Amino acid sequence: QVQLVESGGGLVQPGGSLRLSCAASGSLFSIYAMGWYRQAPGKQRELVAAISSGGITNYADSVKGRFTISRDNAKNTVYLQMNSLKSEDTAVYYCNQGRGGTTRTLPSNSWGQGTQVTVSS
């Protein structure tokens, strides 16, 4: 079972930026799709952004143009750059490793512990 460790969350003012990181264990990181999900209080967990093993990305409509997902296979790490943050982006953010290389294989049962992002003035 892969181990996923998220970091980079925190408190930020509306309009600000944060970059989340998710480090994965194991030597096969590059062949799997990765995704970022979030869960706000009282809401279901939702997909925010995903990236395939080949670098193809897709985003939730609510974050298009503001968030960017990327991966560094040499570091076994996936990132989520979040710009122009809004109060509605407040949530716990989780990363997930897919069951294969395409984003259709997300989510799997491999979740990190999550990192809290709070957007507030």
Side-chain angles (χ1 to χ4, degrees), residues 18-93:
L18 282 175
R19 188 175 83 153
L20 306 183
S21 301
C22 172
S25 64
S27 59
L28 300 177
F29 174 81
S30 64
I31 71 171
Y32 292 107
M34 298 295 297
W36 282 100
Y37 291 74
R38 67 186 179 188
Q39 188 166 20
K43 295 188 176 181
Q44 288 192 332
R45 193 170 297 188
E46 63 174 353
L47 177 66
V48 175
I51 185 166
S52 72
S53 60
I56 298 171
T57 59
N58 55 274
Y59 299 91
D61 287 344
S62 59
V63 307
K64 280 181 182 176
R66 301 189 297 121
F67 290 11
T68 303
I69 188 172
S70 61
R71 65 190 301 159
D72 185 336
N73 292 333
K75 295 182 178 180
N76 278 21
T77 300
V78 61
Y79 303 98
L80 185 68
Q81 178 68 43
M82 306 186 294
N83 299 327
S84 302
L85 283 161
K86 305 176 181 180
S87 58
E88 51 262 45
D89 295 317
T90 295
V92 179
Y93 284 70

